[in-house]
Structures are given as structure tokens and as C-alpha cells.
Amino acid sequence: MNQYQFFYDISGLAMKVHNKFGYGLLESAYEAGLEYLLKQNGYKVERQVYLPMYWDNVKLEQSYRMDLVVNDNIILELKAMAHVDSDHRRQLWNYMNLTHLPYGMIINFSNSLYSEWYHRKDNGNIEKINLESLTREIEPI
């Protein structure tokens, strides 16, 4: 099995949510549906996970909320907009760097479902996972 199979699994569940609800709803509706399906499929899921901000050792009066954290190592950043741009990617990458969680995924529930997958390496570099190379690893040639 491919080391990134969970990205495919999550994408498939997101597609089920998209097929069920269509597009045009608020992000929170897709979040609730995806949380439900992930849990039904045996994933541990936390929703709206609090992420505090610090200046050195001082906790600031600013925090963020990550949409979904799956199995304590995958951040799912959900969108419901026309397109994903660099600011949305930067948001996910910042969450990955602040938490040191190794995997991140942007899922956009627009008129057609769109997702991007990322892996944070031990050195802190974030690499986009290429769907085509993964397909070749999973499917026999």
C-alpha cells in the first residue's frame, strides 16, 4: 500500500460529501459531513482544533482554529469558494509548521471538488504531493 493512501481515502470521502451536498453551502456544512464520514470509516477526527499563538514563551491573545485534524497527524483545511490561491496554501503551511504535523490537505468544495496534498518533512520543508506519481505507485504498470 502507498504511504499516502490516506490522502486518496480522504479525497474519496470528500467526494461523497460533495456529491451529497453539491456546492454553494457554507464551509461548516462540508466540515460536518466530512467529519461524520471520516468517523464512520474509523478515523479519529477533531473539529475546529484550537491553535494558540506564542511570542517566545508568552501566550498571545490570538489563536487560530484548524478545521479538521485527522488521526493526530493530518490537517484538513476546507474551503467553499471559487478557487484556492496562495493565501489559502500559506494558511495550511503555517498550521503545519506551527504544529509540526506531517500532513496537510486543502479541500475546496466549489462547483467541482478540488484538493491539494502536502507533506512536511523532518527538516521543516513542505512538499506538495504529486497525484500523478502516486497513481503510478498504486496502479500496476
Side-chain angles (χ1 to χ4, degrees), residues 24-38:
L25 298 177
L26 294 175
E27 182 183 298
S28 58
Y30 301 110
E31 187 178 297
L34 187 54
E35 176 191 27
Y36 172 77
L37 285 182
L38 286 164

Side-chain angles (χ1 to χ4, degrees), residues 126-137:
I126 295 176
E127 164 183 297
K128 185 174 183 181
I129 304 303
N130 183 338
L131 174 64
E132 291 177 12
S133 66
L134 290 181
T135 302
R136 283 193 295 273
E137 289 178 29

Side-chain angles (χ1 to χ4, degrees), residues 51 64 66 75 77 79 84-98 105-106 116 118 124-126:
L51 178 60
Y64 290 95
M66 297 179 286
I75 300 170
E77 184 57 36
K79 301 296 178 193
V84 172
D85 63 29
S86 58
D87 288 341
H88 304 121
R89 291 177 187 95
R90 178 68 54 200
Q91 179 184 11
L92 174 63
W93 299 340
N94 283 334
Y95 290 169
M96 291 171 72
N97 280 323
L98 288 169
M105 187 174 184
I106 296 174
E116 293 179 1
Y118 294 94
N125 291 336
I126 295 176

Side-chain angles (χ1 to χ4, degrees), residues 33-51:
L34 187 54
E35 176 191 27
Y36 172 77
L37 285 182
L38 286 164
K39 286 180 176 178
Q40 291 298 304
N41 282 271
Y43 288 93
K44 176 185 173 200
V45 183
E46 295 176 87
R47 186 172 174 196
Q48 291 297 310
V49 178
Y50 174 74
L51 178 60

